[in-house]
Amino acid sequence: MIDLSGLDERFARLAAEYDVHRTAAHAAVVRWEWYDDEAFDLRPLHYQRDLSHPGHRLAERPDLAQDHFQIGFDADDRLVAMLEYSGFLGGKLYYETFRTYLVDTVEEAHFHADGRPIYLHEFGFEAGRMRSVAMVATGGGGCETYDYTDDQVTRIVTHHGDRQSGALLPLRFYTAIDAVYDDEGLVRLEISERLGSPQVKYERPPVGFTVEDAWATVQQELLTQIPRSVRDLAIDTPAYCIALMYDERADPTDFTIHVGLDEDRRVHLADKPDSDVIWSPADMAHETSVDLGAVSDVARLLAQELTLTCSDMGRGLLCAMASLLSAADWITVLPITKDFVVYAVDVEMEHLDDNLRRSDI
C-alpha cells in the first residue's frame, strides 16, 4: 500500500506555493494551444475506463460561452500548464493545473484560479513505465497501481480514503480494472468494485455491429416496454404528456419515464400562466423506469458506442422514438388528453425546445 502521509504534508503547503508552481509552469511554456476539453491525462487507460476522449485541439479560442481549455507545452512537448475557462462564467479562468517533471516522478497540482488547492498527484515511474499514482485532495486521497503484460497495462488496482477532521483515513480497496487485448488492441475492460460484482465497462463490438442495427433492436423493445411500464402505474386520471428524461450524455437507453397529469397542469397554469413548468419532469406526479433485460447486451454496446462518438446522435434517436410514441394508441394504457404528447428531455432541460421540435411537437 502506498503511504500518502508525505504527499499529504506537501498538499497542506500547496496554497502557500501556488505562485511558485504557476511561475515555474508559465516560464517553461514555449507553446500555448486551445482545446475543447481537458487532455493528456497521464493515468493509463484513463479515458477508456471512463468511456471518454481527451479534448481536441482548436484552431483558435472558441466562443466564451463554451467551456474551453488552454494548454501550455514545454520544449519537450510535454504539458506543463492547463488552464480551464468556464463558459457559464463568460470565459472566466476557473481552474489551473501545473505539472513538474522530475527524474522518476511527475507532480501535478490542481488549483482554483484564486490559488486554493484542489488536489496534488504524484506519478511514479520505474524504467520508463508508470507504476503508480498517489493522490490527495481536499476531500480525501487514494492511489492506483499498474501491472503490465509486456508493454500493456493489464490490471489497475485503486484504493480510496476519506478525510476526517483534516486527517486522511486509512485507504481501502475501491476497484480492480482488468484489461484484455489482442493483436488489434483493447478488447475488454472489466471493473470489479468493492461491494459489487464485476461489470463490463468496455467491450469491442463484434464484427458487423452497427449503431443503426442496435438501435432498431433496442427501439422495438422500448416501444413495447415503455407503455407496459406506464400501464403498471395504474393511472386513472387523464395525462397530458410522458417525458423521457435522460442524462447529459444522451444515452437513449438510460432514462426515466415521467407522466404529467392534466389536473396538475391546470393547477400550475392557474398559478403561473406564463410558465413552462409543465414540461419539467420534476413537477410530474408519476415516475417509473423501463426493463431492457431482454436486449441488455445490445443496449449496453449501443450506449457505449454512442457515448464514444461524443455526438448528440443518442438524443436524436430518443426524440425520434418519442415522436413514434406520441402517435401510438394509448387508449388501453391510461386516460389521455387530446393534446397528449411524448417527448425527450435532458435533466437540466437545456435542449427542451430543440427536443420538442425533433419530436414534431
Side-chain angles (χ1 to χ4, degrees):
M1 184 70 66
I2 296 175
D3 181 7
L4 297 182
S5 59
L7 189 65
D8 199 33
E9 290 174 3
R10 286 158 49 203
F11 179 69
R13 301 192 300 267
L14 204 54
E17 298 173 352
Y18 164 72
D19 287 335
V20 174
H21 283 272
R22 186 179 188 279
T23 299
H26 280 254
V29 171
V30 298
R31 184 182 84 259
W32 290 99
E33 300 282 1
W34 294 106
Y35 279 75
D36 62 358
D37 206 341
E38 64 84 19
F40 307 102
D41 195 292
L42 292 175
R43 288 167 289 184
L45 297 174
H46 170 73
Y47 296 105
Q48 293 89 334
R49 53 178 136 150
D50 194 39
L51 291 183
S52 63
H53 286 291
H56 297 92
R57 187 171 67 84
L58 304 173
E60 58 185 16
R61 188 175 191 179
D63 189 295
L64 297 184
Q66 302 175 25
D67 292 344
H68 53 284
F69 292 72
Q70 190 178 27
I71 297 179
F73 299 88
D74 67 9
D76 294 316
D77 206 32
R78 302 173 302 187
L79 183 154
V80 289
M82 183 163 64
L83 313 182
E84 180 176 351
Y85 297 88
S86 169
F88 179 75
L89 298 175
K92 181 180 179 180
L93 179 63
Y94 200 60
Y95 296 125
E96 298 176 278
T97 305
F98 308 120
R99 281 188 192 158
T100 304
Y101 296 85
L102 305 172
V103 177
D104 291 319
T105 61
V106 175
E107 183 179 277
E108 180 173 286
H110 186 54
F111 297 88
H112 291 281
D114 61 5
R116 287 177 294 136
I118 300 172
Y119 69 66
L120 181 63
H121 292 178
E122 184 179 77
F123 302 88
F125 292 79
E126 294 179 7
R129 285 182 175 173
M130 187 182 298
R131 289 294 184 179
S132 65
V133 55
M135 303 170 281
V136 293
T138 52
C143 66
E144 295 185 359
T145 56
Y146 309 107
D147 293 333
Y148 290 77
T149 298
D150 298 324
D151 293 326
Q152 296 172 320
V153 174
T154 50
R155 186 171 178 82
I156 303 171
V157 177
T158 72
H159 290 78
H160 285 186
D162 296 327
R163 190 182 293 277
Q164 191 174 83
S165 300
L168 285 177
L169 297 178
L171 299 183
R172 64 184 185 278
F173 170 79
Y174 190 66
T175 60
I177 304 167
D178 293 294
V180 178
Y181 304 83
D182 63 13
D183 292 341
E184 296 180 7
L186 184 65
V187 175
R188 182 184 179 93
L189 276 181
E190 187 173 272
I191 299 182
S192 302
E193 297 184 346
R194 184 169 63 95
L195 298 176
S197 57
Q199 299 289 327
V200 176
K201 184 63 176 180
Y202 170 82
E203 184 176 12
R204 184 195 300 160
V207 175
F209 174 92
T210 68
V211 166
E212 291 75 16
D213 289 346
W215 173 245
T217 299
V218 172
Q219 177 180 260
Q220 189 60 45
E221 185 67 9
L222 287 172
L223 291 174
T224 299
Q225 294 298 334
I226 290 174
R228 180 174 297 172
S229 294
V230 173
R231 183 184 296 112
D232 290 344
L233 292 172
I235 296 171
D236 58 6
T237 60
Y240 69 91
C241 75
I242 290 176
L244 308 178
M245 188 172 72
Y246 58 87
D247 67 13
E248 65 276 5
R249 286 191 170 181
D251 169 8
T253 70
D254 182 18
F255 61 87
T256 51
I257 304 168
H258 300 259
V259 182
L261 302 182
D262 190 48
E263 58 188 29
D264 295 332
R265 174 173 63 167
R266 292 175 184 273
V267 171
H268 283 306
L269 290 177
D271 292 342
K272 302 176 180 178
D274 297 325
S275 173
D276 64 356
V277 69
I278 58 172
W279 297 111
S280 172
D283 294 303
M284 296 179 187
H286 297 278
E287 176 183 345
T288 186
S289 58
V290 65
D291 181 10
L292 284 175
V295 293
S296 58
D297 288 342
V298 177
R300 177 176 54 79
L301 284 174
L302 173 65
Q304 169 188 290
E305 294 306 295
L306 287 173
T307 300
L308 290 172
T309 63
C310 298
S311 71
D312 70 346
M313 183 179 181
R315 178 161 67 96
L317 294 173
L318 197 56
C319 289
M321 189 186 65
S323 182
L324 292 175
L325 286 167
S326 287
D329 184 4
W330 288 86
I331 192 169
T332 63
V333 178
L334 80 170
I336 61 173
T337 62
K338 291 183 178 180
D339 61 349
F340 174 82
V341 294
V342 182
Y343 63 96
V345 59
D346 57 297
V347 174
E348 301 296 331
M349 298 185 65
E350 179 183 357
H351 301 122
L352 176 62
D353 290 341
D354 184 52
N355 284 3
L356 293 177
R357 286 192 294 271
R358 291 190 184 202
S359 300
D360 300 323
I361 296 174

